[in-house]
Amino acid sequence: NNNNNNNQVQFLSSSGGNAGLALTTVCRSLRPPLPVSVIVPETTKPMVVRNLETLGADVTVFGKNWNEADALARTMVEDAKTDGSGNTVYYVSPYDNPLLWTGHSTAVDEIIDQLSCNGGDDDVRIGAILASVGGGGLLSGILEGLERNYYRGGGGGGGRRSEIIRGTKVMACETEGAASFAASLVANSLDSENNSNDDDDGDGNGNGNANEERSLTMKRLDGITSVATSLGALEVTPAVIHRAHRHQRRGRCDDTSAGGGE
């Protein structure tokens, strides 16, 4: 409801492009359309800014990188709480939200559905999935989709869907100068003592809350020096490290089972 006492609901996000375009498309497609503001860093291509404005977003260009643009976005949301306008402004993260991860995860469902339909080859497997990494939202979703389908049926016995993804590798792709995921993954090695029990909630369905697991040592880059200026966050969401650990651990279990002649 956007008309109580003439108060206005507005959405605000930071983005290097795609997330802002998605949010703007949704907000402007509603009836009545909702106002949306997107803060983009100075490295954003002019074409992206024009596309956002054409879709109906109020665009502010600020900061050397996405993190500086995001800091302004969060400040604007907080300021709106006390500006006396009575308007409600919601912050929408471009990558750090469980709803986004679940949305991305359906790409894995679609791949498995296509490989399973029409009496496909029973021996078909997904060898690898490649995902570009900025803040870790897409990769978190890919890992969630693999985990969910692996555990369908309970205890890792999800039937055909589980078999299609058994042994599937996930390749996280970052550019030099924006490799924040790699930095944090190396700092939190699966074999380190601190992460020896980094796992799901223990019920065998792979639905553990990745945000409530043991603490990590997250690494924050000093800056983004990559030529891929719009794809980069100084620090990824911790959830993607937890999920990467669980994926690695399932892979080890699969290898052990195979070696044991099961």
Side-chain angles (χ1 to χ4, degrees):
N1 189 342
N2 197 31
N3 54 18
N4 288 339
N5 300 321
N6 295 319
N7 292 345
Q8 192 174 62
V9 173
Q10 177 182 349
F11 290 87
L12 193 152
S13 186
S14 57
S15 174
N18 288 340
L21 291 167
L23 177 63
T24 303
T25 298
V26 171
C27 288
R28 304 308 293 172
S29 297
L30 297 174
R31 293 294 177 265
L34 294 179
V36 55
S37 298
V38 181
I39 317 301
V40 300
E42 296 165 359
T43 53
T44 305
K45 299 293 189 293
M47 178 186 67
V48 174
V49 174
R50 289 195 300 271
N51 288 343
L52 285 167
E53 292 175 335
T54 299
L55 286 171
D58 178 18
V59 181
T60 299
V61 180
F62 178 85
K64 299 188 302 293
N65 52 51
W66 169 81
N67 290 84
E68 292 187 2
D70 186 64
L72 176 60
R74 292 174 183 269
T75 298
M76 292 172 65
V77 171
E78 289 302 311
D79 289 346
K81 296 178 181 178
T82 58
D83 65 3
S85 67
N87 294 334
T88 302
V89 180
Y90 293 101
Y91 169 79
V92 180
S93 172
Y95 68 83
D96 196 7
N97 188 297
L99 289 175
L100 294 175
W101 308 333
T102 298
H104 292 314
S105 76
T106 61
V108 178
D109 298 338
E110 292 177 15
I111 294 172
I112 295 175
D113 287 343
Q114 291 180 22
L115 293 176
S116 302
C117 68
N118 300 324
D121 187 350
D122 287 342
D123 294 326
V124 68
R125 299 287 188 277
I126 301 174
I129 297 177
L130 281 67
S132 59
V133 181
L138 174 61
L139 182 56
S140 291
I142 296 299
L143 292 169
E144 178 179 318
L146 289 171
E147 186 170 37
R148 181 175 60 249
N149 283 283
Y150 179 84
Y151 283 107
R152 279 190 175 179
R160 179 68 184 123
R161 300 187 73 87
S162 178
E163 287 301 316
I164 288 177
I165 59 174
R166 189 174 296 278
T168 297
K169 295 179 173 61
V170 178
M171 300 182 67
C173 305
E174 297 181 295
T175 56
E176 293 288 348
S180 53
F181 171 72
S184 286
L185 190 66
V186 169
N188 296 277
S189 168
L190 186 64
D191 294 317
S192 69
E193 181 178 352
N194 289 338
N195 294 304
S196 60
N197 293 315
D198 180 16
D199 207 341
D200 59 36
D201 54 14
D203 63 2
N205 63 13
N207 291 325
N209 188 333
N211 283 324
E212 296 180 356
E213 297 170 41
R214 63 180 59 247
S215 61
L216 298 170
T217 302
M218 299 302 295
K219 292 297 184 179
R220 186 179 179 89
L221 304 181
D222 293 331
I224 300 296
T225 59
S226 166
V227 295
T229 54
S230 64
L231 180 63
L234 298 180
E235 183 179 326
V236 295
T237 172
V240 76
I241 304 299
H242 288 301
R243 293 176 181 212
H245 283 167
R246 296 207 299 266
H247 182 77
Q248 291 174 321
R249 188 168 288 107
R250 285 196 304 276
R252 292 184 178 185
C253 290
D254 282 349
D255 289 344
T256 300
S257 297
E262 296 182 5

